[in-house]
Amino acid sequence: MRQIDHFIAGGAGSGGTGRTHQVWNPSTGEVQAEVALGDAALLDRAIAQAKKVQPEWAATNPQRRARVMFEFKRLVEQHKQELAELLSSEHGKVVDDAHGDVQRGLEVIEFACGIPQALKGEYTNGAGPGIDVYSMRQPLGIGAGITPFNFPAMIPMWMFGMAIAAGNAFILKPSERDPSVPIRLAELFVEAGAPEGLLQVVNGDKEMVDAILDHRDIAAVSFVGSSDIAQYIYERGAANGKRVQAFGGAKNHGVVMPDADLEQVVNDLAGAAFGSAGERCMALPVVVPVGDETADRLREKLIPAINALRVGVSNDPDAHYGPVVTPEHKARIEKWIDTAEAEGAEVVIDGRGFSLQGHEDGFFVGPTLLDRVTPDMESYKEEIFGPVLQIVRAKDFEHALRLPSEHQYGNGVAIFTRNGHAAREFANRVIVGMVGINVPIPVPVSYHSFGGWKRSGFGDIDQYGMEGLRFWTKSKKVTQRWPDGGGDGSNAFVIPTMG
Ligand code: NAD
């Protein structure tokens, strides 16, 4: 059985609790590896190494730091296919999707290559007689990231790209369900010229997470995962005096106005609701047609499009989506479909009990369409995180606007319409962090920032872009006064003259 260790001080690091966690191949249903679960002593070793290298890295001029980021970007591009295949074999998303996972992470690395420009501070000349004021952003020291299973390349790069370019050392605790790509990224980072210990990977479960939250030498923690854990991380980290941002679950709605281009909407929904088997925090699992007539027309077009989706193993180039991550997750999704049915939703297309010929042990869930879902249903209130699309019929625009606004999650939302006024009104009033107008998955580009509202995001600073830079740095404000010496020349600043 393949053993996956940690990545400490530039190389494989062993040790920890002695406990391991199974890493599946979701397409075959076999355990393909075991990952070691670390403990507080292992974290101490990583911190000791980070402390050795971080001060010199922080003192390295930003242009030189950017060169390491450039080289890392080149290496990840060079190894993209290998990374995508490795990722897909542990996660289950199809290789094409895995390429997207790596690519969206790389875009933040590209942004981090501009760190010399991004770190320039503010300056006021002559704030008073002989007085200037300037501010600078300095690194925090050691930062940590705790990441979910569903984007094992992108989310680690979102975090460590910004943290390290800003001058910090970084400790990554990836998901124990697909830990190999984060380790491979850390190896490439050393190959790119980063000091050994600047980026380290400690594997583990709650025990390691708690060690991170309690460690006095970790200044900031960025978390992405489910909401209850996000809230726990936020509260425990903050109680220990750390800076914390913690992003949680989602239930994104797509509002379809009567004037929307339904062909386009159906095409967008096929990707946004079912791509990556719905295991995306920016998936679109709820569609809200405005008016029964729109709902009926949409449903009629959705049924053949969903039935045409091809579910396959993760390296099937023709598959639309692959298996879900673990057998427990498959069971959980199917249970949510049971619940929805029991609550009175109409199961229009049923993905339960789906089996892929030749891969009967894989963790596949067929595409599912539920109609006549209502806001009081538990299956609407909670995140399902699977290939399940729910139709919630809205009476009118105001009703459609209220649904995502009143939902416990506020990550992303979309509106499909040809009416600019309706779109503008919706974007201004909806109580959700990221809005798409005729864009089903509105993940902002790397030079903007990413973050949801309500139970989708705890803390007040978003990820990547300039917000990410603010999260990973603290600002210092300097007020300086250089008086002239009072006329006798003894204390005067002497301006050198030529000749
Ligand atoms: P998860 O919450 O189970 O795990 C996330 C991380 O927390 C992992 O590293 C895990 O080891 C750790 N963890 C798990 N249980 C813990 C516990 N009891 N105490 C401390 N740490 C614990 O999430 P997941 O299943 O890996 O990822 C899917 C979730 O992440 C979904 O809810 C999804 O919406 C969310 N997500 C959110 C965003 C966002 O930006 N808002 C992005 C991606 C995923």
Side-chain angles (χ1 to χ4, degrees):
M1 179 73 60
R2 184 162 63 94
Q3 299 294 315
I4 302 169
D5 266 329
H6 315 277
F7 188 80
I8 310 278
S14 54
T17 57
R19 294 185 291 114
T20 58
H21 189 270
Q22 294 175 322
V23 178
W24 297 96
N25 178 337
S27 294
T28 63
E30 288 160 356
V31 177
Q32 57 164 312
E34 280 180 341
V35 59
L37 300 176
D39 59 4
L42 183 94
L43 180 65
D44 276 338
R45 272 169 47 207
I47 300 271
Q49 181 65 22
K51 278 178 157 174
K52 277 191 205 153
V53 297
Q54 189 270 333
E56 197 181 328
W57 176 251
T60 302
N61 77 54
Q63 201 158 9
R64 284 182 191 272
R65 297 204 301 257
R67 284 184 197 136
V68 174
M69 306 308 291
F70 268 116
E71 181 57 7
F72 175 65
K73 171 178 134 52
R74 191 190 68 76
L75 284 170
V76 174
E77 273 163 356
Q78 187 185 322
H79 291 268
K80 213 168 178 187
Q81 183 65 18
E82 168 209 328
L83 287 163
E85 283 173 13
L86 182 61
L87 194 161
S88 142
S89 80
E90 290 185 356
H91 177 287
K93 64 174 77 175
V94 295
V95 175
D96 219 29
D97 246 351
H99 269 276
D101 194 328
V102 177
Q103 178 57 30
R104 291 309 293 252
L106 263 187
E107 288 168 12
V108 170
I109 302 296
E110 275 172 356
F111 179 80
C113 289
I115 197 71
Q117 169 70 12
L119 266 184
K120 284 199 299 193
E122 294 173 326
Y123 184 86
T124 300
N125 185 55
I131 295 177
D132 309 318
V133 180
Y134 63 93
S135 65
M136 58 179 121
R137 301 212 67 97
Q138 296 188 325
L140 305 172
I142 302 175
I146 301 162
T147 52
F149 82 84
N150 69 323
F151 280 101
M154 179 183 84
I155 294 178
M157 282 194 267
W158 282 5
M159 293 179 184
F160 75 70
M162 296 308 302
I164 289 181
N168 299 286
F170 194 83
I171 303 218
L172 173 65
K173 205 304 285 170
S175 170
E176 59 276 42
R177 288 182 249 175
D178 47 9
S180 293
V181 165
I183 291 204
R184 196 67 195 103
L185 291 173
E187 286 169 357
L188 292 175
F189 206 59
V190 170
E191 206 178 315
E196 297 182 350
L198 201 59
L199 172 60
Q200 300 179 94
V201 181
V202 293
N203 283 307
D205 54 9
K206 179 169 168 45
E207 184 171 340
M208 179 54 91
V209 170
D210 286 347
I212 290 171
L213 294 173
D214 294 344
H215 205 293
R216 51 192 286 195
D217 293 329
I218 292 177
V221 175
S222 181
F223 172 88
V224 176
S226 51
S227 291
D228 288 350
I229 314 255
Q231 184 168 1
Y232 167 76
I233 302 278
Y234 183 70
E235 288 171 358
R236 185 156 172 169
N240 284 329
K242 299 185 195 314
R243 186 177 290 191
V244 188
Q245 55 176 199
F247 298 94
K251 191 93 181 194
N252 307 323
H253 294 52
V255 171
V256 181
M257 296 296 286
D259 67 348
D261 174 349
L262 289 192
E263 298 296 331
Q264 186 63 48
V265 171
V266 167
N267 194 38
D268 284 350
L269 281 172
F274 299 101
S276 209
E279 294 170 317
R280 289 181 182 142
C281 69
M282 288 295 274
L284 210 55
V286 178
V287 62
V288 183
V290 174
D292 260 333
E293 196 261 337
T294 312
D296 293 340
R297 280 194 294 130
L298 179 67
R299 175 177 153 146
E300 198 178 310
K301 287 184 189 297
L302 270 173
I303 293 172
I306 294 173
N307 281 328
L309 294 175
R310 180 183 162 104
V311 184
V313 290
S314 60
N315 59 5
D316 173 352
D318 297 323
H320 190 87
Y321 72 84
V324 302
V325 68
T326 58
E328 295 80 20
H329 193 50
K330 173 181 157 80
R332 186 178 167 277
I333 295 165
E334 294 193 338
K335 193 151 176 268
W336 272 122
I337 304 172
D338 294 343
T339 305
E341 190 173 34
E343 290 175 319
E346 180 191 347
V347 183
V348 182
I349 299 176
D350 191 349
R352 287 172 292 189
F354 180 93
S355 170
L356 188 69
Q357 208 181 359
H359 291 86
E360 288 76 8
D361 294 332
F363 315 140
F364 299 95
V365 181
T368 299
L369 180 66
L370 305 172
D371 196 359
R372 304 195 184 275
V373 173
T374 53
D376 55 312
M377 295 181 183
E378 288 306 309
S379 56
Y380 168 77
K381 292 181 198 161
E382 300 297 332
E383 181 182 44
I384 297 178
F385 221 54
V388 180
L389 177 62
Q390 295 173 298
I391 302 177
V392 182
R393 294 167 176 243
K395 285 197 304 287
D396 53 23
F397 174 82
E398 290 297 327
H399 183 199
L401 177 65
R402 272 201 310 279
L403 287 163
S405 297
E406 291 176 0
H407 201 280
Q408 62 165 331
Y409 296 117
N411 213 36
V413 71
I415 183 167
F416 300 92
T417 181
R418 291 184 168 99
N419 182 324
H421 175 72
R424 184 173 181 277
E425 192 69 4
F426 184 82
N428 282 340
R429 290 171 57 200
V430 71
I431 305 172
V432 171
M434 292 174 279
V435 182
I437 298 173
N438 298 315
V439 171
I441 302 188
V443 177
V445 291
S446 63
Y447 38 98
H448 284 260
S449 296
F450 180 101
W453 291 2
K454 299 181 280 184
R455 285 188 68 72
S456 298
F458 299 84
D460 51 10
I461 308 187
D462 285 348
Q463 302 200 75
Y464 67 72
M466 292 308 282
E467 288 266 306
L469 190 67
R470 275 189 278 279
F471 183 78
W472 295 111
T473 54
K474 53 197 173 195
S475 86
K476 183 175 278 178
K477 289 68 61 181
V478 179
T479 303
Q480 63 176 2
R481 178 164 168 259
W482 293 102
D484 78 12
D488 67 356
S490 58
N491 194 25
F493 177 64
V494 180
I495 298 170
T497 50
M498 298 293 284

